[in-house]
């Protein structure tokens, strides 16, 4: 399953090392020995075999737990890094959006610059869509994206789309709002 998910996101080498350390044939043999010794009434030897098998399984479980913790830590760090990038990208979009707002607020219905502002607004909308898609992908892997964040992005996209439509109708006051 880990190989299907992808080596970039899964520590395949760590898993293979854990499986090698488990030495499943030795563990299986100890379990079989324990069963045979128990059936023949040799409880002491059975207990020794059980102890060896148990020890192997505990070591494997500990390795798997450590792998899980490392993966969680890696995912958390990756989510934080991506969130920082999204915040930076959105800040830049916010600045561009503010410029468009100011320009359209100063314009009138007949301005020949309205198509340019509409194009800039479309570009901002498309950039925000890209960020929203990336955030959606991250939300599938991490709980870093909260429902409130998703709602805010959705609202921003709706408002940006409305601004594009208002510019298409040459309604500069509604667009700047």
């Amino acid at each position: 399953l880990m190989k299907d998910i992808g080596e970039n996101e899964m520590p395949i080498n760590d898993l293979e090392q854990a499986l090698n350390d488990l030495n499943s044939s030795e563990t299986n043999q100890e379990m079989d020995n324990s069963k045979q010794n128990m059936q023949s009434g040799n409880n002491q030897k059975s207990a020794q075999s059980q102890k060896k098998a148990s020890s192997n399984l505990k070591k494997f479980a500990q390795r798997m737990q450590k792998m899980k913790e490392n993966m969680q830590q890696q995912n958390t760090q990756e989510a934080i890094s991506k969130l920082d990038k999204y915040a930076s990208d959105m800040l830049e979009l916010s600045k561009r959006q503010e410029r468009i707002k100011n320009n359209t607020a100063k314009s009138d219905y007949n301005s020949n610059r309205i198509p340019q502002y509409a194009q800039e607004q479309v570009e901002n909308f498309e950039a925000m869509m890209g960020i929203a898609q990336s955030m959606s992908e991250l939300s599938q892997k991490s709980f870093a994206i909260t429902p409130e964040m998703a709602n805010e992005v959705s609202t921003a996209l709706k408002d940006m789309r409305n601004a594009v439509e208002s510019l298409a109708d040459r309604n500069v006051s509604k667009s700047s709002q």
Side-chain angles (χ1 to χ4, degrees):
L1 177 61
M2 289 175 74
K3 287 179 183 175
D4 289 342
I5 291 173
E7 290 187 38
N8 293 341
E9 297 182 29
M10 295 292 166
I12 302 296
N13 292 339
D14 291 344
L15 176 62
E16 289 173 351
Q17 183 63 43
L19 288 170
N20 287 339
D21 290 349
L22 173 62
N23 195 353
S24 60
S25 62
E26 179 186 325
T27 303
N28 285 337
Q29 183 63 47
E30 291 297 338
M31 287 186 213
D32 286 341
N33 289 347
S34 173
K35 177 183 171 186
Q36 290 172 0
N37 286 327
M38 196 177 292
Q39 288 173 341
S40 65
N42 193 342
N43 291 339
Q44 186 176 2
K45 277 191 171 186
S46 175
Q48 288 173 346
S49 293
Q50 288 175 6
K51 187 175 181 179
K52 287 179 184 176
S54 176
S55 175
N56 286 347
L57 291 171
K58 282 180 186 176
K59 286 178 187 174
F60 180 72
Q62 288 170 344
R63 269 200 184 264
M64 294 300 289
Q65 181 63 33
K66 185 164 177 65
M67 275 179 41
K68 177 184 169 190
E69 290 167 3
N70 288 342
M71 288 171 59
Q72 287 172 333
Q73 183 179 15
Q74 181 180 352
N75 286 342
T76 299
Q77 290 172 346
E78 180 181 335
I80 290 169
S81 174
K82 286 182 177 182
L83 283 174
D84 283 345
K85 177 162 179 13
Y86 302 153
S88 175
D89 291 349
M90 281 193 247
L91 184 59
E92 182 59 35
L93 277 177
S94 175
K95 290 175 185 176
R96 291 183 359 206
Q97 190 66 47
E98 189 71 25
R99 275 194 306 272
I100 296 169
K101 176 194 155 297
N102 291 337
N103 288 337
T104 57
K106 291 186 251 178
S107 298
D108 67 2
Y109 176 83
N110 292 321
S111 174
N112 61 354
R113 302 208 61 162
I114 290 177
Q116 175 189 342
Y117 301 148
Q119 180 60 36
E120 290 173 8
Q121 186 62 63
V122 167
E123 290 169 5
N124 267 9
F125 177 79
E126 290 172 350
M128 189 64 180
M129 281 295 293
I131 293 170
Q133 288 173 331
S134 296
M135 289 176 72
S136 177
E137 290 170 11
L138 179 61
S139 73
Q140 302 299 315
K141 297 178 183 179
S142 169
F143 294 110
I145 306 297
T146 65
E148 294 82 10
M149 292 167 77
N151 286 337
E152 291 295 326
V153 168
S154 177
T155 299
L157 285 168
K158 183 182 84 165
D159 291 342
M160 292 170 99
R161 185 178 56 243
N162 289 341
V164 169
E165 291 170 2
S166 295
L167 284 169
D169 293 338
R170 295 184 132 340
N171 189 341
V172 292
S173 65
K174 186 177 178 184
S175 174
S176 66
Q177 291 174 1

